[in-house]
Amino acid sequence: MAAGSCLLLLLLLLPCLAMTSHSTPGCRIRITSKGLDLVKQEGLRFVEQELQNITVSDLHGQEGQFHYNISQVKVTDLQLAHSDLHFQPQQHLAFNINNASISLRFRRQLLYWFFYDIGSINASADGVHIHTVLQLAKDKAGRLKISNMSCEASIARMHAGFSGTLRKVYEFLSTFIVTGMRYLLSQQICPSLEHASLVLLNSLLDTVPVRSYVDEHIGIDYSLLQDPAVSTDTLDLDFKGMFFPRARENQELENHAVEPVIKETERMVYVAFSEYFFDSAMQAYFQAGVLAIELQGEKIPKDLEVLLRATFFGTIFMLSPTVDAPLQLVLQVSAPPRCTIKPSGTSVSVSAFLNISMVPPGHPPVQLSSMVLETKLSAKVFLQGKALRMQMDLRRFRIYSKQSALESLALFSLQAPLKTLLQLTIMPIINERTKYGVQIPLPEGMDFTKEVVTNHAGFLTVGADLHFSKGLREVIDQYRTVPTVPPATSARPAEPSLGPHQL
């Protein structure tokens, strides 16, 4: 009875456990069928390069008085006119090549009775059909990988052209050679493509940053939260999309934001970012202690300095041993800024303390006033290359005293000049830090073009087309090449690659 009750309770809890196991992504990328068509064009060139490097073992044998030895087999030409790359639910990509032809050239050594002949043979494999299915999955590090591959290859027919004095005899006896070559060639196609997928293409996926440093203060975690979701028309990737302070790399920030939803399929790729993505960046900067700025002496506009000295003249006269001592303004963000994304636009709310002090030479600072600043910044988010960037502008601003309403009323005259200070001095510093942006998790050699940003309630999407700035083979060779130094010579160590700093 007790066992039955436990089983019933477990069944009731299963839906809840399934719901709690789902993690909300801070960043979601969708690749559509149009994007896959572009990938197919570049992928087909890569497959041609791999098949041209097929290595076929030597073929030798005897049929009665006919002895043959075939060696130095090389692929001379490929015709892959009919190919198809499409999504296959749930986690797969299917790549098919139909009715292709492969031209070969190899060296012959033939002995028939007392006649011995050597030379070359041109052969052609026609009706080549290749069907491959790639399974995509998240590995332990949270990186997208090709976890498995199935492959079927067949050759419908093959014929060889002979030259030389015994051409007519060889054409009669060529069945043995052609049959053997057809078998050997068909057996080499799938291993070649398996190596290309599980080794070479996975090395390309290794160029996608998972955890990398953005600057000297913070980093970004782009680990996948789950295996990719594949439908007949799209492939969706859910990334954590969380920034972290470099001093606390293992710190986690819970995601309570709205989950980004991508419904469009017209562009090649869509990237969605929730408010959590931006909030975690500002939280990381806040915890890194860099959301503060100090202005002193000549850095304070002259008009503002005169107004501050007039406003706090009584305090200066009573507290400061030197009336003309330099002023100091310290602006310190008091809490992590918060991002709000609406269809009408993106804004950032910031609360900060502004401490105004006198700094007499040889004496500790004398505080004149401490006030609270509440600002709302409008944010323009845009994509350039593979970098997501943000430019901000001051929209709303107000100050008030932490001490009393009467002092807040006295500070009213400072509202306009301090707003000007923020616009002319502080905002350029903020935009200088944000102009470099953060990289989007795409493989090396692939970039965005024709980007369009659309705001939604709680998230924004970037629709774009894709462009290959480098070929797959070029990128793979670049990131798989390991420089070697001959032991007999001395050389400087190889310079590190200029790719993102992987953790």
Side-chain angles (χ1 to χ4, degrees):
M1 184 69 178
S5 300
C6 292
L7 180 60
L8 179 60
L9 180 61
L10 180 61
L11 291 175
L12 292 174
L13 287 176
L14 278 177
C16 299
L17 293 174
M19 291 177 63
T20 57
S21 64
H22 173 72
S23 298
T24 304
C27 171
R28 173 173 288 167
I29 293 182
R30 163 169 288 184
I31 300 175
T32 67
S33 296
K34 292 183 180 179
L36 199 62
D37 288 340
L38 178 69
V39 174
K40 185 191 79 171
Q41 297 172 17
E42 185 62 35
L44 193 60
R45 285 192 286 268
F46 176 68
V47 169
E48 288 179 351
Q49 294 168 349
E50 288 303 301
L51 293 180
Q52 285 176 344
N53 295 325
I54 283 180
T55 301
V56 180
S57 58
D58 295 349
L59 176 66
H60 55 84
Q62 176 181 355
E63 294 293 336
Q65 298 300 319
F66 180 55
H67 301 259
Y68 57 89
N69 182 36
I70 303 299
S71 60
Q72 301 178 14
V73 181
K74 291 185 178 181
V75 176
T76 59
D77 187 44
L78 286 167
Q79 296 294 330
L80 309 180
H82 305 287
S83 62
D84 175 59
L85 177 65
H86 62 272
F87 297 117
Q88 181 174 306
Q90 301 287 325
Q91 299 170 230
H92 303 90
L93 289 177
F95 182 60
N96 300 318
I97 296 176
N98 297 311
N99 203 27
S101 63
I102 304 176
S103 298
L104 306 170
R105 185 177 179 85
F106 45 87
R107 184 174 182 270
R108 72 172 188 263
Q109 291 177 286
L110 305 175
L111 176 64
Y112 184 65
W113 289 96
F114 299 106
F115 299 98
Y116 177 72
D117 189 37
I118 61 174
S120 61
I121 301 176
N122 294 319
S124 177
D126 299 319
V128 179
H129 297 276
I130 305 172
H131 176 67
T132 60
V133 177
L134 308 179
Q135 182 175 358
L136 304 175
K138 173 181 76 76
D139 70 3
K140 293 181 180 179
R143 189 185 300 276
L144 179 65
K145 287 288 186 179
I146 300 173
S147 60
N148 196 12
M149 173 187 173
S150 62
C151 177
E152 297 177 2
S154 63
I155 300 175
R157 55 195 175 277
M158 187 169 185
H159 58 85
F162 293 85
S163 61
T165 56
L166 301 178
R167 180 171 59 86
K168 293 295 183 181
V169 177
Y170 298 152
E171 287 178 353
F172 176 74
L173 299 173
S174 65
T175 304
F176 309 114
I177 299 175
V178 170
T179 302
M181 285 302 302
R182 176 183 169 189
Y183 172 77
L184 290 177
L185 181 60
S186 63
Q187 293 299 304
Q188 292 301 315
I189 291 176
C190 284
S192 176
L193 295 181
E194 183 175 343
H195 176 266
S197 300
L198 300 181
V199 177
L200 300 183
L201 289 182
N202 273 336
S203 70
L204 175 69
L205 294 176
D206 285 339
T207 65
V208 179
V210 174
R211 286 178 67 90
S212 59
Y213 292 143
V214 176
D215 54 30
E216 66 270 23
H217 304 295
I218 68 171
I220 177 72
D221 186 341
Y222 273 130
S223 57
L224 279 172
L225 297 177
Q226 58 191 5
D227 291 331
V230 180
S231 69
T232 55
D233 300 315
T234 61
L235 181 149
D236 288 346
L237 301 168
D238 286 352
F239 297 93
K240 192 171 189 178
M242 184 197 76
F243 292 83
F244 57 86
R246 290 180 58 168
R248 307 174 187 175
E249 294 187 4
N250 296 324
Q251 178 175 285
E252 295 288 332
L253 178 64
E254 291 188 14
N255 186 351
H256 301 293
V258 173
E259 180 173 344
V261 178
I262 304 176
K263 298 180 180 179
E264 300 86 354
T265 58
E266 290 77 16
R267 305 297 296 276
M268 292 185 182
V269 63
Y270 291 89
V271 188
F273 304 94
S274 72
E275 293 174 345
Y276 170 82
F277 180 86
F278 301 99
D279 284 346
S280 67
M282 292 179 283
Q283 172 94 11
Y285 274 123
F286 178 78
Q287 293 183 338
V290 297
L291 299 185
I293 188 170
E294 178 182 308
L295 301 177
Q296 183 174 327
E298 296 180 353
K299 293 183 179 181
I300 302 176
K302 196 65 179 177
D303 293 345
L304 177 61
E305 180 181 359
V306 172
L307 181 60
L308 291 174
R309 289 184 182 276
T311 302
F312 301 106
F313 176 78
T315 307
I316 293 173
F317 186 80
M318 294 295 294
L319 297 179
S320 178
T322 307
V323 176
D324 59 349
L327 287 179
Q328 180 189 67
L329 304 183
V330 177
L331 183 63
Q332 174 78 51
V333 174
S334 56
R338 286 291 174 258
C339 176
T340 302
I341 303 176
K342 297 180 179 180
S344 57
T346 303
S347 61
V348 177
S349 300
V350 184
S351 295
F353 296 135
L354 176 62
N355 295 323
I356 304 174
S357 305
M358 296 285 291
V359 187
H363 295 81
V366 179
Q367 182 170 300
L368 303 178
S369 179
S370 179
M371 62 188 75
V372 177
L373 279 71
E374 291 186 353
T375 63
K376 181 164 283 189
L377 311 176
S378 61
K380 179 184 177 183
V381 180
F382 60 98
L383 199 60
Q384 189 171 3
K386 279 193 296 189
L388 183 73
R389 305 185 181 190
M390 177 182 289
Q391 185 173 5
M392 290 183 281
D393 191 22
L394 183 62
R395 185 196 300 178
R396 295 178 185 173
F397 169 81
R398 78 182 186 100
I399 58 173
Y400 60 90
S401 172
K402 295 189 298 181
Q403 307 299 327
S404 66
L406 184 61
E407 186 176 352
S408 297
L409 185 62
L411 296 176
F412 183 76
S413 61
L414 297 177
Q415 181 94 9
L418 285 177
K419 183 177 181 180
T420 302
L421 173 69
L422 290 177
Q423 290 175 325
L424 300 181
T425 305
I426 307 301
M427 294 308 301
I429 296 175
I430 295 175
N431 286 325
E432 179 67 22
R433 290 183 177 179
T434 61
K435 75 175 184 179
Y436 299 103
V438 60
Q439 295 296 310
I440 306 301
L442 274 187
E444 184 69 21
M446 185 178 290
D447 295 317
F448 295 106
T449 61
K450 303 177 182 178
E451 308 89 350
V452 176
V453 179
T454 305
N455 279 40
H456 304 271
F459 65 96
L460 60 85
T461 59
V462 182
D465 291 336
L466 293 172
H467 166 71
F468 280 97
S469 58
K470 298 179 182 178
L472 295 180
R473 170 59 62 183
E474 180 184 356
V475 176
I476 289 171
D477 289 345
Q478 176 183 350
Y479 283 89
R480 294 189 74 244
T481 301
V482 180
T484 56
V485 178
T489 61
S490 61
R492 293 173 57 190
E495 294 291 335
S497 68
L498 297 179
H501 185 175
Q502 301 296 316
L503 301 185

